[in-house]
Amino acid sequence: KTADKKDLQTKSVEEVRKLIKEAHERLVQLRLDHHQAKLQNTRSIFNTRKELAVLKTVVKIKEEKNG
């Protein structure tokens, strides 16, 4: 996990925003599966939300650095 966060620091804002979009789409699908009782691991919803928060924080920090 720590290596992943360091890797995010080297990516551009556009690349991180693309990852945010993918994670958001995955979250929507997980929620749909959960409501249809197809989801075995409900913890994956929490993990995806946490991943989204990290990605959004990285974008915010990068934008503040660039002005």
Side-chain angles (χ1 to χ4, degrees):
K1 285 244 173 196
T2 308
D4 294 338
K5 289 181 184 178
K6 289 180 182 176
D7 183 42
L8 287 175
Q9 298 298 326
T10 62
K11 292 185 183 280
S12 69
V13 175
E14 291 79 22
E15 291 174 322
V16 177
R17 284 193 175 145
K18 182 180 175 189
L19 292 173
I20 289 173
K21 184 178 179 185
E22 291 170 0
H24 183 69
E25 289 171 358
R26 190 168 56 248
L27 180 62
V28 169
Q29 186 61 44
L30 286 170
R31 286 180 175 161
L32 180 64
D33 289 347
H34 179 62
H35 287 294
Q36 294 175 348
K38 293 180 185 177
L39 190 61
Q40 296 291 326
N41 182 8
T42 56
R43 187 74 179 169
S44 59
I45 294 174
F46 172 79
N47 292 337
T48 304
R49 285 178 49 215
K50 188 174 178 181
E51 178 186 347
L52 267 170
V54 169
L55 291 169
K56 287 181 179 182
T57 302
V58 168
V59 168
K60 185 172 183 179
I61 289 171
K62 284 182 175 282
E63 287 177 344
E64 288 176 357
K65 272 187 186 177
N66 294 336

